[in-house]
Amino acid sequence: MSQNVAFIGLGIMGLPMAKNLVNAGFTVTGFNRGQKAIDDLVAAGGQGASSVAEAVKDADVVITMVPDSPDVEAVVTGEEGVFANAKAGALWVDNSSIRPDVSVHLAEAARAAGLRPLDAPVSGGEAGAIDGVLSIMVGGEPADFEAAQGVLNAVGKTIVLVGPSGSGQTVKAANQLIVAANIQALSEAVVFLEAYGVDTDAAIKVLGGGLAGSKVLDQKAQKILDREFAPGFRLALHNKDMGIVTSAAREAGVVLPLGALVAQLVTSTVASGDGALDHSGLFRGVRPPFRQGRSPGSCLGPTHLPTAGGAGSACTSDHGTFHHKRGYPLRLQYTVRCSRHRRWGARTSFRSVTEIWCSRSRRCGDSWAALPAVGFYLFFPAIHEQLDCSS
């Protein structure tokens, strides 16, 4: 006899997971704030509901897959929520990524309502959800974990009970820390490789075969190389997850130096307006978006550089465009200042904006370059030459 599954939250991850449950023979009723996703599930053989209460009333298993802790609380509590409307003995599997303490609190409330809770956040991104090969870290009672095996195996491949309620969310937080650090390292590596004109496709191939190989490299390197950041997992959500990491670490008295730094970098990228991008878009914090789409040897176009006068101010040269004479586009990810703005930072004594620092040049000068860092600017003597593509 087929189990009835209610699926709440049919987003980038939830919809393909619900479809996989349909394909596995479960009777799936979905609810989502947007109607299109419900229609897509119905077209795939599922059923749609107009409310959470309607979706869960006959369900043997209730799955929630929503963005954040308040969203989970909103769908499970209250008169129209899961706890008030699901039948006694139903399994509640929360595939969302939320705060461990909230997960523990909600698990207690679920048991009081007669439900069997499991926190079961997933990893693997949109591709893993589509292919049904997600990694699922589960917290809860062993008997409930065993009872949920059929549903979990329909959407995942690596499924592990990691401890009591809340443990799944704790492991997911660790997962997000590792992933964010990997994406940042990969982004910096790509910028480094491109600066030296290396065949990046070949470089990624050989790196993937060694100790630097990872799922992040396999799934995200091409997106970075192509500068294509359509969301599989949005930066805004990863920013939320890094907040969970830093908050939980602080509560436990654990020091995470790299985690704190990466969390700031993710927050900075989101604050710049890139929260809707895939988390591989963290690369844009290393290489600004105005560098996209330029092929090696091409001109950068009119050069608009940030000034001490504020974001969006422009310093332009007589030539207006710059070109690296060895055929590689000039890397302008560092802060550049013209001679009009000597007061900015420590020493930024440009003779003119037509003299741009270049690590490949042959003539030494007295200009200084400023690298973005956390909380301060690190200055170092730089080599420069005049660059001109007006001819």
Side-chain angles (χ1 to χ4, degrees), residues 7 9-10 13-23 28 30 41 155:
F7 207 111
L10 302 172
M13 299 289 289
L15 181 59
M17 291 170 67
K19 288 180 177 180
N20 283 334
L21 288 165
V22 171
N23 293 336
V28 181
L41 177 61
V155 297

Side-chain angles (χ1 to χ4, degrees), residues 234-240 262-277 281-282 284-285 311:
R234 291 186 287 120
L235 264 167
L237 292 178
H238 210 140
N239 187 44
K240 175 263 297 182
V262 174
Q264 291 183 57
L265 295 172
V266 174
T267 298
S268 176
T269 307
V270 172
S272 71
D274 288 339
L277 300 181
L282 189 57
R284 285 161 64 99

Side-chain angles (χ1 to χ4, degrees), residues 4 22 28 74 80 89 124 134 136 145 156 159 179 224 232 257 279 364 371:
N4 294 323
V22 171
V28 181
E80 296 297 314
L134 294 168
I136 309 177
F145 175 70
I159 306 160
V179 171
I224 290 173
H279 53 174
C364 290
L371 281 75

Side-chain angles (χ1 to χ4, degrees), residues 267-347:
T267 298
S268 176
T269 307
V270 172
S272 71
D274 288 339
L277 300 181
D278 183 77
H279 53 174
S280 57
L282 189 57
F283 173 82
R284 285 161 64 99
V286 184
R287 171 63 49 79
F290 65 78
R291 285 289 305 115
Q292 294 185 34
R294 299 289 181 183
S295 59
S298 67
C299 292
L300 294 178
T303 307
H304 295 284
L305 307 176
T307 73
S313 301
C315 289
T316 57
S317 72
D318 293 337
H319 302 299
T321 54
F322 299 93
H323 184 274
H324 194 296
K325 70 179 184 180
R326 292 195 179 187
Y328 302 113
L330 187 68
R331 307 305 179 187
L332 290 177
Q333 65 265 34
Y334 301 132
T335 303
V336 181
R337 295 289 178 262
C338 76
S339 58
R340 291 191 295 130
H341 308 116
R342 289 193 181 96
R343 291 182 299 171
W344 182 265
R347 293 179 58 188

Side-chain angles (χ1 to χ4, degrees), residues 182-390:
N182 269 265
I183 292 175
Q184 179 66 24
L186 174 60
S187 298
E188 294 181 14
V190 169
V191 169
F192 175 72
L193 293 169
E194 290 180 345
Y196 279 88
V198 172
D199 181 337
T200 49
D201 289 323
I204 293 299
K205 180 178 180 180
V206 70
L207 289 172
L211 194 58
S214 68
K215 289 289 187 181
V216 167
L217 189 145
D218 293 342
Q219 295 184 22
K220 303 300 180 180
Q222 197 61 50
K223 292 178 75 69
I224 290 173
L225 295 181
D226 294 341
R227 312 299 199 260
E228 195 285 305
F229 303 118
F233 183 76
R234 291 186 287 120
L235 264 167
L237 292 178
H238 210 140
N239 187 44
K240 175 263 297 182
D241 291 343
M242 293 307 295
I244 292 173
V245 171
T246 54
S247 176
R250 184 167 54 251
E251 290 177 9
V254 176
V255 179
L256 303 177
L258 179 59
L261 173 58
V262 174
Q264 291 183 57
L265 295 172
V266 174
T267 298
S268 176
T269 307
V270 172
S272 71
D274 288 339
L277 300 181
D278 183 77
H279 53 174
S280 57
L282 189 57
F283 173 82
R284 285 161 64 99
V286 184
R287 171 63 49 79
F290 65 78
R291 285 289 305 115
Q292 294 185 34
R294 299 289 181 183
S295 59
S298 67
C299 292
L300 294 178
T303 307
H304 295 284
L305 307 176
T307 73
S313 301
C315 289
T316 57
S317 72
D318 293 337
H319 302 299
T321 54
F322 299 93
H323 184 274
H324 194 296
K325 70 179 184 180
R326 292 195 179 187
Y328 302 113
L330 187 68
R331 307 305 179 187
L332 290 177
Q333 65 265 34
Y334 301 132
T335 303
V336 181
R337 295 289 178 262
C338 76
S339 58
R340 291 191 295 130
H341 308 116
R342 289 193 181 96
R343 291 182 299 171
W344 182 265
R347 293 179 58 188
T348 54
S349 54
F350 267 56
R351 284 191 284 271
S352 74
V353 86
T354 56
E355 290 183 348
I356 301 294
W357 320 304
C358 176
S359 61
R360 290 179 175 272
S361 67
R362 297 184 177 88
R363 294 186 290 115
C364 290
D366 61 357
S367 297
W368 289 61
L371 281 75
V374 178
F376 63 94
Y377 278 96
L378 172 67
F379 290 87
F380 66 96
I383 298 171
H384 74 277
E385 64 181 326
Q386 184 167 335
L387 304 170
D388 174 24
C389 67
S390 58

